[in-house]
Amino acid sequence: MATSIAVKSKACRGLTSSGLKWAALILMVLDHVHYFFGFTGWIPEWCSMLGRLSAPLFLFCAVEGFTHTRSRKKYFLRVYGLSVLMTGLLLLMHVFGLLVRPDGFYPMNGMMTAYAVLMIVWQGIDWLGEKRYLRGLAAVVLPLAWPVLLTALLSGLPALRLPLVIIGFTLVPTWNISLDACLPVLVSGILLYLFRGNRRRQVAAFAAFELLYYLVYMGYMCARLPDFHWTQMFTMYYEWYGVSAGILMLCYNGRRGSGRKGFFYAFYPAHIYGFYALSWVLYLLLN
């Protein structure tokens, strides 16, 4: 009996999936406070620095959720629905110039689009593991190649430009149209999924890529800028701070926690557009 209690106590140590999500949510809010209200000069830069940890943590939780969910189809449809909603609003702002703040700013957040694309790729990876090669290759390659295919279609069929743009922004997720849905995020998500069976290797693969891309590669690219100094990698080009999320990933105890998935789904778009509306009001008051 004592042994059973000790084993149970040991298994409960660390952070649950819900705990990681709450940590990521708080860090995300700090980041977005700086993102939406930074124009006031009142919000310190460290809010965004801490916020670099939020996206990797949410991505890690998405891998766990997709791996252990009872229905991948329902999981995907929830994420896909939010993706269509948010990219639809982005379409109105980016293409049609509607709902844009007077200074030209509008939110480019697209985390749900990245997840929708990645879930298709993750399923494709599993199909390849099951030797269902045709279906697996299609699921992996087509979502990743879609921005290139869309560009080719736009060039070859100029008469259909508007409907193709609408489709690319909404019904068929295009990963390069927002800040959160970019190639490095997709690569991180694929690595986290491929190595999910071994936590240390998973975090090591994630950390190696984050440092190689955001610190080494981006540092090399930024070094070409005039008046660049390497100290700016700690003050201006600090995307690589996200590597620190690996520490919290290692604290994950494999348990789901309290859940409340509905809250997290609703909170993301609600706080994005709530902050955006408040920033618009504040901008008008200050100008």
Side-chain angles (χ1 to χ4, degrees):
M1 181 68 175
T3 302
S4 176
I5 294 174
V7 171
K8 184 176 180 181
S9 176
K10 183 177 180 181
C12 290
R13 293 175 183 173
L15 294 170
T16 64
S17 177
S18 293
L20 287 175
K21 288 179 182 177
W22 279 110
L25 184 144
I26 293 169
L27 292 166
M28 177 180 67
V29 169
L30 284 174
D31 184 31
H32 288 167
V33 166
H34 184 268
Y35 179 62
F36 285 102
F37 302 100
F39 70 92
T40 64
W42 302 339
I43 312 300
E45 192 77 23
W46 59 260
C47 288
S48 192
M49 292 177 177
L50 289 174
R52 298 305 90 199
L53 280 70
S54 63
L57 287 176
F58 275 126
L59 193 56
F60 176 84
C61 292
V63 168
E64 286 297 303
F66 186 79
T67 301
H68 300 294
T69 184
R70 294 179 181 178
S71 174
R72 289 187 174 184
K73 181 179 180 180
K74 291 182 179 179
Y75 193 7
F76 170 77
L77 288 176
R78 285 194 295 266
V79 171
Y80 175 74
L82 286 174
S83 172
V84 172
L85 169 66
M86 298 188 71
T87 51
L89 291 172
L90 179 59
L91 173 73
L92 295 178
M93 299 173 191
H94 183 71
V95 177
F96 297 104
L98 302 176
L99 305 174
V100 177
R101 207 168 68 187
D103 62 346
F105 173 87
Y106 54 89
M108 293 286 289
N109 307 84
M111 187 182 296
M112 293 301 168
T113 299
Y115 293 165
V117 172
L118 279 169
M119 285 179 187
I120 299 172
V121 175
W122 293 339
Q123 185 60 61
I125 290 172
D126 286 351
W127 281 332
L128 289 174
E130 297 167 3
K131 298 183 179 180
R132 301 165 74 177
Y133 297 118
L134 184 60
R135 180 178 295 188
L137 283 173
V140 171
V141 174
L142 290 179
L144 298 177
W146 171 234
V148 178
L149 296 174
L150 180 60
T151 301
L153 289 172
L154 290 172
S155 299
L157 301 170
L160 298 178
R161 180 175 181 81
L162 183 58
L164 285 172
V165 168
I166 293 174
I167 291 172
F169 266 83
T170 55
L171 298 179
V172 183
T174 308
W175 53 260
N176 65 342
I177 62 174
S178 68
L179 293 176
D180 298 319
C182 58
L183 186 59
V185 172
L186 298 184
V187 174
S188 292
I190 292 171
L191 289 173
L192 286 171
Y193 194 76
L194 287 173
F195 291 95
R196 68 193 184 281
N198 185 306
R199 184 77 65 237
R200 291 184 178 181
R201 291 180 182 177
Q202 182 188 38
V203 173
F206 159 77
F209 174 74
E210 290 283 303
L211 291 174
L212 285 173
Y213 184 84
Y214 289 112
L215 184 59
V216 178
Y217 173 72
M218 292 305 298
Y220 170 75
M221 297 301 293
C222 291
R224 299 181 177 185
L225 298 174
D227 301 323
F228 172 80
H229 192 276
W230 280 100
T231 56
Q232 293 174 339
M233 296 303 296
F234 296 87
T235 58
M236 294 178 62
Y237 309 106
Y238 47 78
E239 194 70 27
W240 66 273
Y241 282 8
V243 72
S244 302
I247 299 173
L248 293 178
M249 294 177 191
L250 289 173
C251 294
Y252 176 54
N253 62 14
R255 293 175 174 264
R256 179 181 176 184
S258 60
R260 298 184 182 179
K261 60 184 178 182
F263 170 79
F264 290 104
Y265 283 121
F267 183 82
Y268 182 65
H271 93 282
I272 291 291
Y273 301 117
F275 278 0
Y276 183 47
L278 288 174
S279 76
W280 197 323
V281 172
L282 188 57
Y283 179 85
L284 293 177
L285 291 175
L286 294 177
N287 293 276

